Amino acid sequence: KIDTDNAWLQLAINATRFNLQGETYMLVSVQNIGAELEDQELEAVQHMTRVLAHEIMNSITPIASLAGSARHHLEANSTDKQGEIPEALVDLRDALDTIEKRSQGLLNFVNSYRQIARIPRPDFQLVEVGALFRRVSNLLGAQANDVDLKIDVEPANLTVLADPDQMEQVLINLTKNAIESLEGKENGQVRLEGSLSRRSRVTLKVTDNGSGIAAENQSQIFVPFYSTKATGSGIGLSLSRQIMRRHGGSLRVQSKLGGPTSFLMHF
């Protein structure tokens, strides 16, 4: 695993000795297998998500339905002459109400994760990177508060072949995370950058000057359901990486404690 041109490469290296006309040679092959490994990982995650969602939905749906029916039955048949539920049954009604609401909450929770396995095929179009950045900036400008949100695209007419809606979703996820990481920090900055790499690949980068990400967390942040935020769902970065894989690209993180942190989208 090596870092080159702002991207991690996972390489498979094989060496074979052979004789040719009395001379001994060694043939060495070097192959980048990162994309294949990521595809296998995503396929496993999608399969796991489909199985878990199916089983949880089958279990929780009838619980929510029965709890709601029981609560309505209690309210309709347990009132006294004044039309009020006796105090002894109030706790039971509240318990059923809690079960119903929590079950519905779990159903909504599971439904949000099902989108991991339902990413539509990209509708490829030529997308102007500068215009894409400006849309994201306009959408999140109010949320940025005191954060200095800057855009830098070089060359100015840089374009990328991608699905504009899906790219916007990825950039919203990354930019929102960057803004949230700067909460309470003075002179917070988020930069949206677009450029061409040395291999003429389009690279989009979202950088913040926050406190950074610990090394032990960097290998986990793209795993579904994993989040370093107390209120995080753990779906945004996983979904963003899958969208980039659908585009034949990659999503990488560069960070260290104390910052800065950059998320790089390579096409």
Side-chain angles (χ1 to χ4, degrees), residues 6-134:
N6 293 324
W8 282 103
L9 300 180
Q10 291 180 287
L11 306 178
I13 303 177
N14 291 285
T16 302
R17 291 183 182 274
F18 63 94
N19 292 320
L20 181 64
Q21 296 181 348
E23 296 288 339
T24 300
Y25 296 88
M26 176 178 287
L27 178 65
V28 179
S29 67
V30 181
Q31 182 181 9
N32 181 13
I33 60 172
E36 287 76 9
L37 292 175
E38 284 189 5
D39 285 343
Q40 289 184 3
E41 177 185 336
L42 293 178
E43 184 178 348
V45 167
Q46 289 175 344
H47 176 71
M48 177 193 69
T49 301
R50 285 193 294 267
V51 171
L52 287 176
H54 177 76
E55 294 301 322
I56 293 174
M57 294 288 282
N58 283 350
S59 298
I60 298 297
T61 300
I63 293 176
S65 178
L66 287 172
S69 297
R71 181 173 57 82
H72 289 306
H73 181 74
L74 179 67
E75 292 176 344
N77 298 280
S78 301
T79 56
D80 56 22
K81 293 180 180 181
Q82 285 74 37
E84 297 180 355
I85 298 177
E87 186 176 350
L89 297 179
V90 170
D91 289 343
L92 177 58
R93 181 200 61 184
D94 292 343
L96 289 170
D97 185 56
T98 300
I99 292 172
E100 181 186 12
K101 289 181 178 178
R102 187 60 195 132
S103 297
Q104 190 60 51
L106 286 172
L107 289 175
N108 295 335
F109 178 79
V110 173
N111 277 325
S112 69
Y113 285 112
R114 296 176 83 175
Q115 61 183 301
I116 292 179
R118 294 182 176 179
I119 302 173
R121 183 172 298 178
D123 178 18
F124 288 99
Q125 303 174 32
L126 271 179
V127 180
E128 184 184 346
V129 173
L132 179 63
F133 282 170
R134 287 191 292 273

Side-chain angles (χ1 to χ4, degrees), residues 143-160:
Q143 185 177 336
N145 295 324
D146 297 329
V147 174
D148 184 16
L149 188 58
K150 293 185 176 181
I151 294 174
D152 183 16
V153 180
E154 182 62 38
N157 62 347
L158 182 66
T159 59
V160 62

